[in-house]
Amino acid sequence: MDIEKQYQRMVGNLLPYGPAWDKTEPILLSLALTLSKTHLRVDDLMREIDPRTTNELIDRYEQICGLPDSCYSEESQTLTTRRNRLDSKLNLAGGINKDFYLQTLAINGYPDATITNYNNDVFTCESSCEDYLYDEEWRYYWVVNIPAGRHITEMTCEDSCNSYLRKWGNKQIECIIEKLCASHTYVIFKYGVINA
């Protein structure tokens, strides 16, 4: 049933009984219209509370959260990008563990990214031949593996002769992860990784 009709029925039911009261009185119909519009507006405002569905309050939310920051240029953002960034800033539970960074990568469009740590991969005389050759310093390094085909641009015949043969990288996600990473660690980004 239409919400305006529901309010017309409710307002009509509030009238005293008797022949003097008409439920189709214009003032009562306008009151029902006003109440239905108010009801719909309150529903809109309830959607504005959630940063994933906000439209009108997104500028205010971004101002409160310090967005857009240096990781995002203002002109390249769509409403969806702004909402995702706002949602990750407000609702992502922080941490300095692998799950936190994978969650951040997923929210920012990389659900299939992986992370490689070198915490327990120190090569010693008892290591097998197949172990990696990392020393103790590598425990401070970790690698974000972006799957094959993502943000890799090959040179074409139409490019100029001083163009790169291949370019890769996404400055935006690199900036976000580097801002969130622990200050004593170093992040390496690998693009085009098939299995990591």
Side-chain angles (χ1 to χ4, degrees), residues 86-102:
L86 185 62
D87 182 43
S88 69
K89 186 98 174 195
L90 288 174
N91 295 325
L92 194 61
I96 54 171
N97 58 26
K98 197 179 210 179
D99 291 335
F100 168 70
Y101 296 112
L102 288 173

Side-chain angles (χ1 to χ4, degrees), residues 27-28 35 81 88 95 100 110 115 117:
I27 194 161
L28 295 177
L35 289 171
T81 306
S88 69
F100 168 70
Y110 297 95
I115 292 177
N117 289 331

